[in-house]
Amino acid sequence: MGRLSDRIFGLAVILVALVYIASAMQIQASFLSDPVGSKAFPILIASVAIICAVVMILRPDEEPEWPMAWTVVSIFISIALLVGYAYTLKPLGFLIPTAIVSGALSYQINPKPRFAVAAGLGLSIGLFVLFKYVLDLGLVPFPKGWF
């Protein structure tokens, strides 16, 4: 009964790949399609996924050591921070949300407040300079009414 998680995941991958193949078969080919057709690439991807899943089922790894509950909570906190970041980026500009979120994520990695603040500020300013001046993206640094 050992190594069950890989086998369960392998079966789940096979089911998803079969659904993916079924949906790829529904693709309508236009009159300007290539000789292979638009169905070939999704079917190829799903076939590779099925092969990998069969290998996982037949040769599973040792049973993993699952993370503690706090790790799962930390992952959900990170997801909430990133979703909040996406919603606050436009109204607050780039620098403030980036500093807060990168500092909070840095604190989760290494819980030292000084390092987290420095990482948040450094990443915020460094990424802004990179994106704005090197990559020439149209970022707004602060909320529009500030300057």
Side-chain angles (χ1 to χ4, degrees):
M1 192 76 173
R3 304 176 184 185
L4 185 62
S5 59
D6 275 358
R7 290 187 171 124
I8 292 172
F9 184 71
L11 287 174
V13 169
I14 289 173
L15 290 175
V16 170
L18 289 174
V19 170
Y20 193 65
I21 288 173
S23 65
M25 297 301 284
Q26 302 300 318
I27 296 174
Q28 298 294 324
S30 70
F31 68 94
L32 294 174
S33 67
D34 57 42
V36 176
S38 54
K39 299 176 185 180
F41 185 70
I43 292 173
L44 176 70
I45 296 295
S47 300
V48 170
I50 289 172
I51 291 168
C52 293
V54 168
V55 170
M56 286 181 74
I57 292 169
L58 296 177
R59 298 189 48 155
D61 288 336
E62 294 296 322
E63 198 64 34
E65 193 172 308
W66 293 100
M68 297 184 317
W70 173 247
T71 303
V72 175
V73 171
S74 179
I75 290 170
F76 281 112
I77 290 171
S78 298
I79 291 170
L81 283 168
L82 292 172
V83 168
Y85 176 71
Y87 281 108
T88 60
L89 197 56
K90 190 171 183 177
L92 295 179
F94 183 82
L95 291 174
I96 296 169
T98 304
I100 292 169
V101 171
S102 59
L105 292 174
S106 175
Y107 185 80
Q108 282 190 322
I109 294 169
N110 187 3
K112 295 181 180 174
R114 287 184 186 170
F115 178 75
V117 169
L121 291 174
L123 280 169
S124 179
I125 294 167
L127 289 173
F128 181 78
V129 168
L130 174 70
F131 292 154
K132 179 78 174 172
Y133 299 109
V134 176
L135 298 176
D136 200 28
L137 298 178
L139 292 180
V140 178
F142 295 106
K144 290 184 180 180
W146 281 21
F147 294 105

